C-alpha cells in the first residue's frame, strides 16, 4: 500500500471536496461530493453525535446512495449547512427521483466549536451560506489544517483541524479518509511533539518524527481542552468520511465505516468517550468490482483505518497558529516538516 498522488481522499477517482470558512466565526464547512450518487453508510461510536439524515444510511433503508456529505462546525447550527448544499445540488438537477421531483440526499455531521473565541453573535445562521460555498468550491485539491470544518477544531492539547490521507491497494483499489478532528482526547503524546498515529505514518506526512519512546500506554489523560471547557457534554468529536472506488453494497460500506473507527482509536487518546460524537461515514463510487482474488472487503476496512489515523495526525500537523488561539498549534512549538 502506498499513498495516492495527492495523499487526499480525492485520490479516489470522481470525488471532490470543498471548504468554506469564516475567519471571524472561527468555523467552517467541508463538503464531499461526486458527479454521480455514492453508496453510503455510517457508524457512530461516540456518545454525543450531532447528525442529519443518518438514519437513511442504515443497510435496510430504501435510499441506496447520497449526493453529498457535509462535515461542519457550529454544533446544531452547523447542521443547516446541509440546506445550502441541498439548494446547490437542486439547482444542478441532482437528487433522488420521486416522480418528476428530485430530492438531493445530503447527510451531515457536526462538531462543537462555539467556545473557541469566534464571533457567534450572528443574526442569521451563517452555515447555509457556508455549505453552499463549500459545495461550489469542491475540487480534487483542497486545503488541510485550519480550513473548512476544521477551522475552529481543538484537540485535548493542541489545535485540531481538517485532515486527509489515501492508500492504493495492490489490486488497484483506492481508499481515502477525510476528517475534522475536534476530540476531547489528544492526538499527540505527552509533550505534544510526537503523534499517537506515528507507527502508521508514511514518509514525513506529519513530520516524520517517529513514535515517542517515552509515551507509555496513554495512562495520562491530561487535557487543556477539558480544563478550559469543563468537558461539556457534546462539545467534542471526530467526524470523518472514508471512501473507496470499489463496488460496495450498503452493508459492506457499513462494515468499512465500523472498521475505520480503529483509526480514531489509534490516533486519539482517549477516543469514543461519552462527550465525543465520533462518527465515520463510508462511501463507495463503485468503479471497481471486487473479485474473489486479491484484496477484498477486509483489506479495504483495514486501509480505511490506516488512512483515518494518518488523516487525524495530518489535521493537527497542518493546523496554522493564528492570533487569539485558545490552544497552541503543533507548528507553533515544533519545527514543521
Amino acid at each position: 500500500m502506498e499513498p495516492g498522488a495527492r495523499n487526499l481522499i480525492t485520490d479516489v477517482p470522481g470525488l471532490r471536496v470543498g471548504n468554506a470558512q469564516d475567519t471571524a466565526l472561527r468555523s467552517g464547512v467541508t463538503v464531499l461530493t461526486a458527479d454521480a450518487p455514492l453508496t453510503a453508510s455510517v457508524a457512530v461510536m461516540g456518545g454525543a453525535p450531532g447528525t442529519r439524515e443518518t438514519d437513511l444510511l442504515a443497510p435496510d433503508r430504501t435510499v441506496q446512495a447520497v449526493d453529498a456529505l457535509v462535515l461542519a462546525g457550529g454544533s446544531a447550527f452547523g447542521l443547516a449547512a446541509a440546506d445550502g448544499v441541498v439548494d446547490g445540488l437542486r439547482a444542478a438537477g441532482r437528487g433522488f427521483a420521486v416522480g418528476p421531483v428530485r430530492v438531493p440526499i445530503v447527510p451531515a455531521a457536526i462538531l462543537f466549536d462555539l467556545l473557541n473565541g469566534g464571533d457567534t453573535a450572528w443574526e442569521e445562521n451563517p452555515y447555509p451560506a457556508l455549505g453552499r460555498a463549500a459545495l461550489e468550491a469542491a475540487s480534487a485539491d483542497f486545503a488541510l489544517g485550519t480550513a473548512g470544518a476544521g477551522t475552529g477544531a481543538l484537540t485535548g492539547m493542541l489545535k485540531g483541524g481538517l485532515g486527509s490521507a489515501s492508500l492504493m491497494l495492490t489490486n488497484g483499489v483506492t481508499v481515502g479518509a477525510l476528517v475534522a478532528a475536534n476530540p476531547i482526547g489528544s492526538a499527540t503524546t505527552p509533550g505534544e511533539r510526537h503523534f499517537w498515529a506515528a507507527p502508521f505514518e508514511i514518509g514525513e506526512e506529519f513530520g516524520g518524527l517517529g513514535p515517542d519512546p517515552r509515551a507509555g500506554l496513554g495512562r495520562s489523560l491530561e487535557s487543556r481542552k477539558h480544563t478550559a471547557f469543563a468537558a461539556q457534554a457534546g462539545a467534542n468529536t471526530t467526524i470523518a468520511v472514508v471512501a473507496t472506488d470499489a463496488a460496495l453494497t450498503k452493508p459492506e460500506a457499513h462494515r468499512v465505516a465500523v472498521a475505520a473507527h480503529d483509526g480514531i482509536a489509534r490516533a486519539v487518546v482517549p477516543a469514543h468517550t461519552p462527550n465525543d460524537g465520533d462518527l465515520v461515514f463510508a462511501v463507495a463510487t463503485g468503479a471497481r468490482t471486487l473479485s474473489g482474488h486479491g484484496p477484498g472487503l477486509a483489506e479495504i476496512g483495514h486501509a480505511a483505518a490506516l488512512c483515518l489515523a494518518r488523516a487525524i495526525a495530518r489535521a493537527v500537523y497542518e493546523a496554522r497558529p493564528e492570533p487569539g488561539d485558545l490552544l497552541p498549534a503543533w507548528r507553533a512549538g515544533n519545527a514543521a516538516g
Side-chain angles (χ1 to χ4, degrees):
M1 297 183 189
E2 294 293 337
R6 296 181 178 87
N7 198 18
L8 299 173
I9 196 171
T10 48
D11 286 322
V12 175
L15 295 188
R16 292 177 283 118
V17 172
N19 290 326
Q21 52 277 322
D22 184 316
T23 302
L25 184 63
R26 286 183 176 262
S27 187
V29 175
T30 297
V31 173
L32 180 141
T33 190
D35 291 334
L38 300 160
T39 300
S41 193
V42 68
V44 181
M45 295 186 71
T51 61
R52 166 175 165 156
E53 295 275 42
T54 51
D55 282 355
L56 61 80
L57 299 181
D60 63 335
R61 299 300 192 265
T62 300
V63 174
Q64 295 298 306
V66 304
D67 297 292
L69 294 171
V70 174
L71 306 180
S75 189
F77 302 104
L79 290 175
D83 292 341
V85 178
V86 167
D87 288 345
L89 290 168
R90 179 178 182 272
R94 293 286 302 276
F96 181 72
V98 184
V101 178
R102 287 193 171 270
V103 181
I105 306 299
V106 184
I110 47 88
L111 58 81
F112 185 98
D113 57 5
L114 300 179
L115 298 178
N116 63 9
D119 181 8
T120 58
W122 63 74
E123 294 185 1
E124 181 178 348
N125 189 331
Y127 288 95
L130 287 169
R132 182 71 176 262
L135 175 68
E136 293 174 350
S139 69
D141 294 301
F142 58 96
L144 300 182
T146 309
T151 298
L154 303 171
T155 72
M157 301 300 286
L158 300 170
K159 287 185 73 171
L162 189 75
S164 191
S166 69
L167 282 172
M168 303 285 291
L169 307 190
T170 56
N171 64 348
V173 167
T174 304
V175 177
L178 173 71
V179 64
N182 185 60
I184 191 70
S186 177
T188 49
T189 63
E192 287 73 66
R193 179 168 173 77
H194 295 262
F195 290 92
W196 288 112
F200 310 100
E201 184 177 15
I202 299 175
E204 297 183 357
E205 60 189 349
F206 41 91
L209 300 175
D212 184 352
R214 300 163 298 174
L217 298 175
R219 288 171 292 192
S220 172
L221 299 182
E222 180 184 2
S223 172
R224 294 184 180 119
K225 185 177 183 180
H226 185 284
T227 301
F229 300 156
Q232 289 94 337
N236 321 274
T237 195
T238 299
I239 49 178
V241 183
V242 294
T244 181
D245 54 356
L248 302 181
T249 63
K250 281 180 72 176
E252 288 171 335
H254 177 256
R255 182 48 46 190
V256 170
V258 170
H261 270 281
D262 288 353
I264 298 178
R266 293 167 181 168
V268 177
V269 177
H272 304 136
T273 76
N275 293 332
D276 283 285
D278 295 344
L279 171 151
V280 178
F281 294 110
V283 298
T285 68
R288 289 180 176 271
T289 301
L290 293 178
S291 68
H293 305 284
L297 187 63
E299 189 162 355
I300 291 172
H302 173 56
L306 293 176
C307 287
L308 185 47
R310 293 161 52 225
I312 291 169
R314 293 190 80 196
V316 176
Y317 175 73
E318 297 288 352
R320 300 189 307 270
E322 296 180 320
D325 282 344
L326 295 188
L327 295 182
W330 186 92
R331 290 176 180 264
N334 298 279

